[in-house]
Amino acid sequence: MHRSRVRTVIATGAAAGALLLASLGAAPPPTPTTTSSPTRSPTPAPTTPVPSGDDDPLARFHTQRVPWGDCPDKPVPAEMRCAVVEVPLDYAAPGKGTVEVALGRIPATDPDRRIGSLLINFGGPGASGMAGLAADPKSFADLGERYDLIGFDPRGVGHSDPVSCAGSREPEIDPNADTAAVLAAMRDAVDRCRRASGPVLAHIGTVDVARDMDVIRRVLGDEKLNYLGFSYGSRLGAVYAAQFPRTTGRMVLDGIDTLTEPMTEQALVSARAQQRALDNFLTWCAHQTDCVYGTNTRTAKEKVAALVERLDQEPLVGRDGTNLTGFAASLAIGQALYSPSAWPLLAKSLALAETKKDPAGLLALLGLGESPDPTNPTEPTDPPDPTEPATPTDPPASPDAARGDGFGPVPADNGAAALAAVSCADDPDRSIDKATPAALEKEFSELGDEFLKVSKVFGPRQLVTVLACYGWPAGTDFIRKIDHPGAPPMLLVGTRGDPATPYEWTEETAERLGSAVIVDHKGDGHTGFAGSRCVREYINEFLLYGRLPSGTRSCPAGE
């Protein structure tokens, strides 16, 4: 990898690293539809355990009442109510300040058989749990008979004291700038986030959110936390189980995030997973009568890589002037790989780009540009993803603005800002911040060949995520130390063709937790709940009746 290209990769990473964090397992699942040897010791808690009784410094948080009322965003299901509860800004110093955490609740439809509350995290980080619950409660109708379904906006997200970067965390980069100037611009961008977000930005990581979940459990009156977490939500559930093993109830984690890998290794594994998913798509495409790449999957793989490389040199321009670069094309392809239901659209979009030099289809996958056919818009067959942070029309607002009825406006850049802040708060690897520009260029040059071997389409784009946390404070190492914490048995779902959370992370996390049963979903797409009746049956059996298989079980592909 030549030095000029190394600098281009570094500059690209500065501008796009936060966006690509989504493909490191910090991503939401597709909308559900109805259709972890040596001797082990328990994981130490990151802070001193809180005493119980009158000397409990969190007592005022645990005993607060939940003021259920109208929800801030519309529409929501008629039966859904929302509220704000207070949690400590800093659990090490509970008197230092508070954070307001927003909750949404849909009561159990069979109250006579009610078990308690089921807390759901739809992924992220940076995704609103209230919006996720409001978007498609019917998918959880079986669970909703006996559980109050609870969606919440984690601290810093949505209506929970949202963080912001004053419009965008992307630094302004001169493509001709040297590496030192690029890195300086990245530090300035982080400073802008710090100023716009206020004190919550320093206390936004998963360890803090897991402690908030225990406050939520207490104020809802549940003896134990029953929990369903997708994608990033699996990391959140694992961290809760490590901090509060005695109050962990029935816990299901679907689309398992890594707990152990440094950012570089995460990026490499993710590129491999995305390429595996692309290969599966191309095999499917080869069996369609109109696949633009024909029936030879080996040459099809080479042609997709050639398209992405070509677009890096000569982007296609949409009807509204939007450019489709190779970087953008790889993101669009990766987006469509989240669900096999989007594969026909991906096939059509690639055909447009290859045969007509028309980027409209791939741009549409990114929500950019115009539809390929304005009279008959081509959209993915899945409904809109409720876990994607919404982009409100309100202008960015100060976190310190008056909240009125408890819900304030959400900054338009909140999702991207929270994604970067949480991901970096969870990552203790900050050695890259100490590297000189020359050393950084050398490291990227050496890594470049390795990433290209894994995937010519996704490797270079995943490499830039190594820089995504440049300039942020060092994160916690607690998550990597999770090791047989003593939590009760839980259910983990891993999907073999998952482009965002590779199956190997399921096995690693199960080993780390030491009390997990795996459902091995042989299918494609991100998470198993949405696309597999078999997976849903295992999840429902455990959450509703406590029935857990005695060992690994499999669910077939192609349901």
Side-chain angles (χ1 to χ4, degrees), residues 498-517:
D498 196 319
T501 50
Y503 184 80
E504 46 263 50
W505 287 352
T506 303
E507 296 176 320
E508 291 173 4
T509 298
E511 171 62 22
R512 286 279 171 179
L513 292 171
S515 56
V517 172

Side-chain angles (χ1 to χ4, degrees), residues 66-84:
V66 185
W68 298 110
D70 290 341
C71 296
D73 301 319
K74 302 295 186 291
V76 298
E79 65 275 19
M80 183 169 168
R81 294 293 181 268
C82 296
V84 167

Side-chain angles (χ1 to χ4, degrees), residues 52 59 87 106 281 307 358 514 521:
S52 58
V87 297
I106 297 179
F281 159 76
L307 172 66
D358 185 351
H521 177 219

Side-chain angles (χ1 to χ4, degrees), residues 43 238-239 242 259 477-485 512-513:
T43 304
V239 171
L259 301 178
D477 63 353
F478 171 75
I479 298 172
R480 291 192 189 166
K481 292 181 179 178
I482 293 175
D483 191 0
H484 288 56
R512 286 279 171 179
L513 292 171

